[in-house]
Amino acid sequence: MTDQELIQRAIAARLNAYAPYSNFQVGAALLGKDGRVFTGCNVENLSYGLTICAERNAICAAVAAGVRKFAAIAIVADTREPISPCGACRQVMAEFGDFKIVCATLDETTFESTVAALLPRAKTGILDKA
Ligand code: THU
């Protein structure tokens, strides 16, 4: 699966976004190392704070299907510049190791990075008592 194909899956997933409060729709497509793809969209809530981002929904869908090893995630929104995943999503991604992050606009301008680059020292020291 190419980055472009993964972006296309994220663009399709974005159409299901439930974003009545922000009117900002996001789609994500997560490629498992086994080649399977899991998608997610943002799902907002009247309480605002219970909103779940597209990235976390994709990760939860994969984990619920038994997939925990990932090669890449594509994240898409209708923005002038490629979107950046929020800090909470970076932390949740880091839980499952390092993989490629491809952020894209609808016309497929992309910014490519990795989980480790966007969240350095994500796990260093945690639960590692002296
Ligand atoms: N959002 C995502 O789903 N992913 C991101 O990477 C950034 C933000 C959602 C959360 C909220 O529903 C809306 O976009 C505005 O922040």
Side-chain angles (χ1 to χ4, degrees):
M1 154 113 8
T2 65
D3 287 354
Q4 281 65 36
E5 288 169 326
L6 202 59
I7 289 168
Q8 285 304 320
R9 294 290 299 269
I11 288 173
R14 178 179 166 273
L15 298 177
N16 290 327
Y18 175 72
Y21 305 107
S22 71
N23 200 31
F24 186 77
Q25 294 85 8
V26 185
L30 180 63
L31 176 63
K33 281 192 175 163
D34 65 355
R36 295 171 69 187
V37 175
F38 298 88
T39 59
C41 59
N42 54 331
V43 179
E44 297 188 342
N45 188 269
L46 178 60
S47 74
Y48 286 43
L50 288 178
T51 290
I52 305 174
C53 296
E55 298 90 319
R56 272 178 287 151
N57 271 334
I59 288 170
C60 289
V63 173
V67 176
R68 299 177 185 171
K69 292 181 177 163
F70 306 119
I73 188 169
I75 311 162
V76 170
D78 187 9
T79 47
R80 285 179 294 176
E81 279 190 61
I83 188 171
S84 279
C86 79
C89 288
R90 294 178 198 203
Q91 186 80 45
V92 170
M93 288 190 264
E95 182 69 24
F96 298 100
D98 191 20
F99 49 91
K100 183 164 70 173
I101 299 178
V102 183
C103 306
T105 63
L106 289 188
D107 67 5
E108 297 191 34
T109 301
T110 60
F111 171 81
E112 191 180 310
S113 189
T114 63
V115 175
L118 291 187
L119 193 67
R121 290 174 58 82
K123 294 177 168 178
T124 309
I126 298 175
L127 298 184
D128 182 21
K129 290 196 278 186

